């Protein structure tokens, strides 16, 4: 199984840009992009909490578990 971050869905629903989210969370737009494109290997709880606060959501709204194809091991 793979864990995916659904930031793009939340940004679209809230009509928010990556830059605006990055500013609200206090991390770089490049790091938001890494999360958004599912290239992150880990997320700090403090970052997850800040994302949830900025997007007015719960952690489960951002994180999805999907079947993996086995190539990400």
């Amino acid at each position: 199984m793979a864990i995916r971050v659904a930031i793009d869905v939340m940004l679209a629903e809230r009509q928010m840009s990556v830059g605006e989210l990055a500013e609200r969370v206090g991390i770089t737009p490049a790091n938001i992009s890494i999360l958004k494109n599912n290239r992150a290997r880990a997320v700090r709880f403090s970052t997850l909490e800040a994302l949830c606060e900025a997007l007015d959501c719960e952690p489960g709204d951002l994180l999805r578990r999907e079947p993996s194809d086995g190539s990400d091991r």
Side-chain angles (χ1 to χ4, degrees), residues 36-50:
K36 185 175 170 273
N37 294 312
N38 293 302
R39 292 189 314 250
R41 301 308 258 162
V43 179
R44 292 177 189 253
F45 283 146
S46 58
T47 301
L48 183 58
E49 181 179 11

Side-chain angles (χ1 to χ4, degrees), residues 5-13 36:
V5 183
I7 288 177
D8 52 347
V9 173
M10 302 302 285
L11 287 173
E13 288 176 357
K36 185 175 170 273

Side-chain angles (χ1 to χ4, degrees), residues 4-67:
R4 304 289 180 210
V5 183
I7 288 177
D8 52 347
V9 173
M10 302 302 285
L11 287 173
E13 288 176 357
R14 283 148 180 80
Q15 298 179 346
M16 187 183 300
S17 70
V18 168
E20 182 180 349
L21 179 60
E23 188 174 312
R24 288 185 184 195
V25 173
I27 62 177
T28 66
N31 283 333
I32 294 288
S33 180
I34 287 169
L35 289 168
K36 185 175 170 273
N37 294 312
N38 293 302
R39 292 189 314 250
R41 301 308 258 162
V43 179
R44 292 177 189 253
F45 283 146
S46 58
T47 301
L48 183 58
E49 181 179 11
L51 286 166
C52 288
E53 187 173 322
L55 294 167
D56 189 29
C57 66
E58 296 294 321
D61 298 328
L62 289 175
L63 303 175
R64 303 275 188 254
R65 190 181 79 167
E66 298 177 356

